[in-house]
Amino acid sequence: VRCQLYSPQRALQVSAVLRRVSDEQKKEPLASSSQQQFDSHPADHQPEQEPQGPRPSYTGQGGQESEDYESEEQLQHRILTAALDFVPEHGWTAEAIAEGAKTLGLSAAAAGMFHSDGSELVLHFVSQCNTKLSELLEQEQKLVQLGEAEKKPTDQFLRDAVEARLRMLIPYIENWPQAVSILLLPHNIPSSLNLLTSMMDDIWHYAGDQSTDFNWYTRRAVLTGIYNTTELVMMQDSSPDFEETWRFLENRVADAMNMGNTANQVQATGEAVVQGLMGAAVTVSNAETSRAVR
Amino acid sequence: SVRGLAAGPETHFGFQTVTEAERREKIYQVFESVAKKYDVMNDSMTLGIHRVWKDILVHKMNPSPGTLLLDVAGGTGDIAFRFINYVRSVRERQLQRKLKHHQNLSWQEISESYKEDKLKSLGDSQVVVCDINKEMLKVGKQKAQHLGYSEGLSWVLGNAEELPFDDDKFDVYTIAFGIRNVTRIDLALQEAYRVLKPGGRFLCLEFSHVSNPLLSRLYDLYSFQVIPVLGEVIAGDWKSYQYLVESIRRFPPQEELKAMIEDAGFFNVDYQNLNSGIVAIHSGFKL
């Protein structure tokens, strides 16, 4: 994370493209992580040109003019979002990013800000999908809390969550194999793994998982397995509306549930066996005792 | 401050102190005299490695067809020719991909698309080579003719501190081994900012500072003992190459140049060291 402290001289040079955040907030949901620290400058210095809209109002001396302008990161997000429209035609590549930049009125050279292998585009898309999924699950949870919907059983919940998330891939399913291979590049693995595990966390959280023991790991590992295998099936599924994929998903979730039951059964059987043995031991010792007494 | 009869603010020419006007004049003379042997000298001084540096610069640029490039201090055209080659090969790949998708078009449609694509083998890309020195441009034009470059190439006489172009015109601005010779670097950077389109990229390839002490000593030894001698032997001009070596030492190091580029208004400014800092590529975006 780069700490951006600009000299007052720089703050005077109004950027050609970075937009006023007030325009941004209508479009951009993810703005929280970016830093927008410009040095404050005295209230009597006015910027020479305004890109658009009224002059920013200063909060007085020592106030920060910065909140009005978006950061480079936000601009980069905007470019990547615009680039997604061009993925079906150009794939997950720097060309798609260049086209995206052009729709925002920027030169195609702006794509030079990103890796030439399209990594950031894929990661941006995955991150966006995960955010959408979280919002969806949040809304569903609210409905349940308000009593307007039934709480789903766990297997149904997991199936619906994974299906909703995978459906977001449908517009890009032709190029998805390429995206997966990009996500598996060594320099991308930390980020892609991070995104995957936090998505699994999210789903289990909304499924009502409160475990703090080893189950926590098992559940996530199992769900990750289900998600990844279903994703692979989806990539070569040609049935109408991916029916085969959803059936596959249903079966995998059912297996996972059964596995849980089997584990319980094993435990119950074990307990029964132990009790049997205990009982036998007590009977034998009673018999011995009574014989000894006689 | 009062300087009496001095012609203007003082600056450096190599390790000498001169006025700005004198410096411009002296540098002009340096390049006027070395122009014809410029390429040969580059090869012998850097043992041919300058070609790799320039390749890396264009590769980093990764231009797509349709890009408008301004190559300042482009003199003998090295960057311009590489740009044209790169764009041509990208274009060819694009056309091949398009043809694969054209499997079910009629013959007429296919032949029409061939015709229109033939005319655009560069895909509308263009490079403008701008240099302050007439001799360097002359050598560049001759080279272009000799190597067969004509399409998408133009040669303009101009000063980096005051470019003869409109605002917001170019996609990429490059200056390879030229910014060191500009007297007012800040003006050149401001001009670069001005003529670039929003989203446009600034790329600067220049000799820089070596931080590794051992390498630095070897480099100094080579620079001060070998290069002027080569200059005398190959180009018959010791003093110009003495200037060259001294100007490299006088040039701001990586971080300082980065700060200057940021001051001009560029964002996302970064640099990449080549050969441990003997050369560095600085990149910034007009956002």
Side-chain angles (χ1 to χ4, degrees), chain A residues 2 6-7 9-10 13-18 38 72 75-76 90 94-95 98 105-113 116, chain B residues 62 64-65 90 94 97 170-172 190 193 197-201 258 262-269 285-287:
Chain A
R2 215 175 96 206
Y6 296 105
S7 65
Q9 187 192 11
R10 179 167 193 191
Q13 249 168 356
V14 171
S15 130
V17 177
L18 293 188
F38 290 92
E72 290 161 42
L75 177 65
Q76 287 177 342
H90 294 279
E95 279 150 1
L106 297 175
S107 157
M113 285 195 282
S116 50
Chain B
N62 193 15
S64 48
V90 171
Q94 266 184 0
R97 248 183 287 149
F170 295 97
D171 291 302
V172 185
Q190 281 171 30
Y193 189 87
K197 284 189 207 161
R201 189 174 196 181
K258 175 175 166 187
E262 283 173 344
D263 281 342
F266 289 100
F267 283 87
N268 223 309
V269 180
F285 290 88
K286 175 173 178 174
L287 291 181

Side-chain angles (χ1 to χ4, degrees), chain B residues 67-71 74-85 88 122 124-130 137 139-156 170:
Chain B
T67 300
L68 196 52
L69 169 67
L70 174 65
D71 184 25
T76 55
D78 280 345
I79 302 294
F81 303 149
R82 282 172 172 77
F83 170 81
I84 291 177
N85 290 344
R88 213 177 256 158
L122 288 183
D124 289 333
S125 324
Q126 272 191 65
V127 51
V128 177
V129 180
C130 177
L137 280 179
V139 171
K141 282 188 211 169
Q142 283 171 353
K143 228 167 96 175
Q145 223 178 17
H146 183 67
L147 295 171
Y149 291 100
S150 55
E151 207 188 326
L153 186 56
S154 47
W155 307 85
V156 173
F170 295 97

Side-chain angles (χ1 to χ4, degrees), chain A residues 123-134:
Chain A
L123 289 170
H124 172 79
F125 175 67
V126 170
S127 163
Q128 240 186 8
C129 288
N130 291 0
T131 310
K132 269 195 264 180
L133 181 68
S134 295

Side-chain angles (χ1 to χ4, degrees), chain B residues 108-219:
Chain B
Q108 184 173 33
E109 283 167 310
I110 294 180
S111 73
E112 267 170 17
S113 77
Y114 260 110
K115 238 186 296 169
E116 122 192 330
D117 291 336
K118 197 95 201 278
L119 291 173
K120 301 202 274 171
S121 71
L122 288 183
D124 289 333
S125 324
Q126 272 191 65
V127 51
V128 177
V129 180
C130 177
D131 201 290
I132 197 174
N133 196 301
K134 276 197 221 99
E135 286 304 309
M136 294 289 278
L137 280 179
K138 213 166 92 177
V139 171
K141 282 188 211 169
Q142 283 171 353
K143 228 167 96 175
Q145 223 178 17
H146 183 67
L147 295 171
Y149 291 100
S150 55
E151 207 188 326
L153 186 56
S154 47
W155 307 85
V156 173
L157 188 69
N159 182 350
E161 296 170 9
E162 208 181 319
L163 291 171
F165 305 109
D166 287 332
D167 298 2
D168 300 337
K169 252 198 98 177
F170 295 97
D171 291 302
V172 185
Y173 173 112
T174 52
I175 181 164
F177 301 117
I179 203 165
R180 204 176 70 251
N181 302 310
V182 169
T183 304
R184 290 284 305 278
I185 296 179
D186 54 337
L187 292 181
L189 293 173
Q190 281 171 30
E191 279 293 277
Y193 189 87
R194 181 180 69 79
V195 303
L196 277 174
K197 284 189 207 161
R201 189 174 196 181
F202 169 86
L203 283 167
C204 166
L205 174 67
E206 190 52 82
F207 288 107
S208 199
H209 283 238
V210 178
S211 44
N212 180 332
L214 175 62
L215 187 60
S216 174
R217 283 186 54 196
L218 289 171
Y219 181 47

Side-chain angles (χ1 to χ4, degrees), chain A residues 16-34:
Chain A
V17 177
L18 293 188
R19 297 214 322 219
R20 308 274 317 275
V21 164
S22 48
D23 294 345
E24 273 312 286
Q25 261 140 16
K26 298 176 191 150
K27 296 185 197 170
E28 183 69 49
L30 26 103
S32 45
S33 60
S34 46

